[in-house]
Amino acid sequence: MSAIATPIDADGHELVPSASVGIVERAVDGTDAADLMRAADITMRRAKRDGPGCWAVYDDEHNTRDLRLSQLAVALPTALDRHEFAIDYQPLTALRDGTIIGYEALIRWRHPTLGTLGPDWFIPLAEQVGIIVPLGLRVIERACQDASGWYLPGSPAPFVSVNLAARQIQHPKLLDDVTAILDAVGLPPQQLQLEITESAMMGTNDMAV
């Protein structure tokens, strides 16, 4: 890696290359070349996640998780079409008297073979494969539909809270889409709370503001 990082002169411009390395140590006997390259590739991707100029050594535990993540990434678009995503609701209570004032919508993947998966398994993957916007919109739509059943005009009703991913906030049709959903289900806007993380607000993009 030190040799690779040696500066290169390219038409008067100094370039400093870097590498990500996946290392697999395995006995030669009984080793399949395709399996070996697949393991090296998966390990190299793990090194890449740590930043440029990093290396990682293969181990079964990491390989199993990375292989499963790769399989989940491939299955995500189909899962969205099959309506495999569901919402659990976590009550939000007032500290003064314990009254329920709202519910936080928590997305879950009801995977046909792996069971119920939490968002830490698939939200980063949804961002990588480019379906986080339609997936997030599906959550807002379902949450608003459910919340419309809690609402009675003239009486207090719990609001519903939905987390927004960074790419959702950057999507130019977000406000139009949310407005259309509220109008379609008849939910007053004050009954919907959108949670924006500090990481989504960071950067130079004024669209988030």
Side-chain angles (χ1 to χ4, degrees):
M1 292 183 73
S2 297
I4 290 173
T6 302
I8 299 172
D9 180 78
D11 293 332
H13 299 280
E14 185 180 86
L15 304 179
V16 182
S18 65
S20 300
V21 181
I23 302 169
V24 182
E25 295 182 279
R26 193 170 289 178
V28 174
D29 290 341
T31 295
D32 178 82
D35 289 341
L36 183 64
M37 292 303 295
R38 190 179 302 112
D41 183 59
I42 290 174
T43 309
M44 182 268 295
R45 293 182 192 180
R46 176 155 53 89
K48 269 188 172 182
R49 290 199 296 266
D50 293 334
C54 293
W55 55 271
V57 177
Y58 173 91
D59 68 75
D60 287 331
E61 183 179 345
H62 279 102
N63 180 67
T64 300
R65 178 179 173 85
D66 289 347
L67 186 60
R68 179 167 293 177
L69 288 175
S70 179
Q71 293 169 341
L72 290 176
V74 173
L76 266 173
T78 303
L80 186 61
D81 293 337
R82 292 179 178 175
H83 302 280
E84 293 179 2
F85 295 97
I87 296 178
D88 290 341
Y89 290 101
Q90 178 171 285
L92 305 172
T93 60
L95 293 178
R96 63 180 179 276
D97 57 10
T99 302
I100 294 178
I101 58 175
Y103 291 93
E104 182 177 4
L106 305 173
I107 186 171
R108 300 287 185 263
W109 184 356
R110 311 295 192 208
H111 195 281
T113 58
L114 299 177
T116 300
L117 301 177
D120 56 317
W121 273 99
F122 60 85
I123 290 298
L125 296 177
E127 293 179 335
Q128 291 175 21
V129 301
I131 68 164
I132 189 63
V133 170
L135 177 59
L137 200 61
R138 185 78 57 85
V139 173
I140 295 174
E141 184 176 21
R142 173 64 187 277
C144 288
Q145 287 175 344
D146 292 342
S148 65
W150 311 334
Y151 178 73
L152 294 174
S155 61
F159 62 84
V160 66
S161 178
V162 180
N163 293 307
L164 293 182
R167 289 194 181 180
Q168 285 180 270
I169 298 169
Q170 296 167 5
H171 189 60
K173 290 187 62 182
L174 174 64
L175 295 180
D176 292 338
D177 289 339
V178 172
T179 300
I181 290 172
L182 291 171
D183 290 342
V185 303
L187 183 69
Q190 66 268 21
Q191 297 303 116
L192 172 64
Q193 174 175 286
L194 299 176
E195 292 196 30
I196 302 173
T197 63
E198 55 272 21
S199 60
M201 293 295 293
M202 294 174 63
T204 59
N205 194 333
D206 291 336
M207 188 178 294
V209 178

